[in-house]
Amino acid sequence: KTKSNTTSSTSTTTTTKISQRSYNILLWFAIMSWFATLFPVSGFLKVGTFISDRIVISLTFCTSLLWGRILTHYYIFSAHKSNSSNHHHHNHHTTTTTTTTTTTLISFLLKSFPLFLYFTYLIYQISARTHTWTDGLYLIESSLETCPNSIKSNLEMAKIQMGMYPHKYNPTSALQHLLHAQHIDPSFCDLHQQLANSYGIQEDLDRFEHHLTLAVICPYTMQGSLSSYNSYWKWQLQLDSHSQYQKEEEQDDDDDHTTFMLADARRRYMNSQSVIQEAIQKEENEKLQQSQQQQQQKIHGQSNDHLIHSDL
């Protein structure tokens, strides 16, 4: 009978060790997955996300597992310690059982109160963030408040202040956001379309034409800007029939002024076209260089394969 009890105890101990080992392995994988969630924001790869909340969802999940494990271990250890203390007091001082239970309850409440406050704070933050996500305006405002140097946030705020939300219409502030974003990254070509719109509202034609031309060159705003570009220069060059008829009617009054305006418009148009042609030529040259490099790498690889086969 003693041998049977010993065997049963050994089997139970082995099962417990296996269960604990499996649990530790799962916990290790949870910790590693937490590090894996940091990879998108590590900077090794470019991520095209505008708001980073979606990146931290998996991170939040793994963090919750880890904190759950820590808190569970803490409270179980505290409860086990309290039970041992209660049993000790019960064996030696039976009359103090009620007092010890009350003390244990007070101690548990004091330990739980900070956790209750923390969970209340989390509920408030989650509710506020959910409300922010349901409104595009609040989302951009909170993003810009959190990260004032975010180029995309400044761009989106400029769009909002240029007419997307009528009660937020403020072209002066929109231009400041755009210039700030351009100062952060002058190569961010998405800005030129909105800069052209902003300078168009202010009737600054020189800067309007400059940024409109750059918006046509930008691959991300080309389709949206090309129609505006063609319409604007068609109006400037007076190619439509109404303007042509109006020019003939007023030819006796301001023929010299009209001729000068048309000549100046043609000059600016040709300058704009030359900028576009230079950009197209530059892109074609880059594609040609890439193609030549790929061909050279292919020829170099074939020659290496030939040498390897010759050695064999």
Side-chain angles (χ1 to χ4, degrees):
K1 183 175 180 180
T2 304
K3 184 177 180 181
S4 177
N5 291 338
T6 303
T7 303
S8 177
S9 176
T10 304
S11 177
T12 303
T13 304
T14 303
T15 304
T16 303
K17 289 182 178 179
I18 294 174
S19 301
Q20 184 65 31
R21 183 179 179 183
S22 300
Y23 180 82
N24 292 334
I25 292 174
L26 292 176
L27 186 61
W28 183 83
F29 276 113
I31 295 173
M32 290 300 101
S33 63
W34 180 80
F35 283 105
T37 56
L38 297 176
F39 182 75
V41 293
S42 62
F44 290 103
L45 294 177
K46 291 184 178 181
V47 289
T49 53
F50 176 44
I51 305 296
S52 60
D53 289 33
R54 69 197 76 178
I55 295 179
V56 302
I57 291 176
S58 52
L59 176 63
T60 305
F61 174 73
C62 297
T63 305
S64 299
L65 290 178
L66 294 177
W67 277 108
R69 167 60 178 166
I70 293 172
L71 292 173
T72 302
H73 178 76
Y74 171 73
Y75 280 103
I76 289 177
F77 178 76
S78 299
H80 179 71
K81 186 176 180 180
S82 299
N83 290 335
S84 299
S85 178
N86 290 342
H87 182 72
H88 176 76
H89 282 288
H90 180 73
N91 290 336
H92 294 80
H93 305 284
T94 308
T95 56
T96 61
T97 302
T98 305
T99 305
T100 304
T101 303
T102 304
T103 304
T104 303
L105 179 61
I106 294 174
S107 176
F108 178 78
L109 291 176
L110 289 176
K111 292 178 180 178
S112 301
F113 185 69
L115 190 62
F116 170 76
L117 293 179
Y118 178 68
F119 282 143
T120 303
Y121 171 76
L122 287 181
I123 292 171
Y124 170 77
Q125 290 292 336
I126 292 172
S127 300
R129 192 59 180 169
T130 301
H131 173 69
T132 301
W133 267 98
T134 57
D135 191 300
L137 177 59
Y138 291 151
L139 183 61
I140 300 300
E141 288 179 343
S142 64
S143 175
L144 196 59
E145 181 180 355
T146 304
C147 185
N149 291 329
S150 171
I151 299 176
K152 289 187 176 181
S153 297
N154 279 278
L155 175 60
E156 293 300 321
M157 180 55 70
K159 292 179 181 179
I160 289 174
Q161 293 179 340
M162 289 178 63
M164 186 179 295
Y165 289 85
H167 65 284
K168 288 287 184 178
Y169 182 74
N170 190 346
T172 303
S173 178
L175 180 59
Q176 292 176 354
H177 283 293
L178 293 171
L179 293 177
H180 179 61
Q182 189 180 35
H183 176 73
I184 297 171
D185 186 4
S187 64
F188 190 65
C189 64
D190 301 54
L191 296 169
H192 294 297
Q193 185 179 23
Q194 296 303 320
L195 281 168
N197 294 336
S198 181
Y199 285 123
I201 293 174
Q202 297 182 4
E203 298 183 358
D204 189 342
L205 295 184
D206 291 336
R207 294 179 179 178
F208 167 78
E209 294 171 1
H210 171 71
H211 288 287
L212 184 60
T213 302
L214 296 179
V216 172
I217 296 173
C218 179
Y220 306 106
T221 58
M222 180 186 298
Q223 294 182 353
S225 303
L226 191 58
S227 59
S228 300
Y229 180 86
N230 292 330
S231 300
Y232 171 76
W233 284 113
K234 184 178 180 181
W235 171 74
Q236 280 289 325
L237 299 174
Q238 299 184 5
L239 296 179
D240 58 279
S241 58
H242 175 73
S243 297
Q244 189 70 23
Y245 172 77
Q246 195 174 30
K247 186 185 73 171
E248 292 175 357
E249 290 292 325
E250 299 174 353
Q251 188 172 5
D252 296 335
D253 297 330
D254 53 353
D255 184 66
D256 294 338
H257 178 70
T258 302
T259 303
F260 173 78
M261 294 294 294
L262 285 173
D264 185 63
R266 291 192 186 98
R267 178 187 59 80
R268 301 197 315 272
Y269 175 72
M270 294 305 297
N271 291 337
S272 175
Q273 285 293 304
S274 65
V275 172
I276 294 175
Q277 292 301 322
E278 288 177 3
I280 294 174
Q281 187 64 38
K282 181 180 179 181
E283 184 178 359
E284 291 178 352
N285 291 337
E286 290 177 353
K287 289 182 179 180
L288 181 61
Q289 290 179 359
Q290 291 178 358
S291 177
Q292 291 176 352
Q293 290 177 357
Q294 291 176 357
Q295 290 179 357
Q296 291 177 358
Q297 291 176 357
K298 184 177 180 181
I299 294 172
H300 183 68
Q302 291 177 352
S303 62
N304 289 337
D305 292 341
H306 180 69
L307 291 175
I308 292 173
H309 287 297
S310 299
D311 293 337
L312 294 176

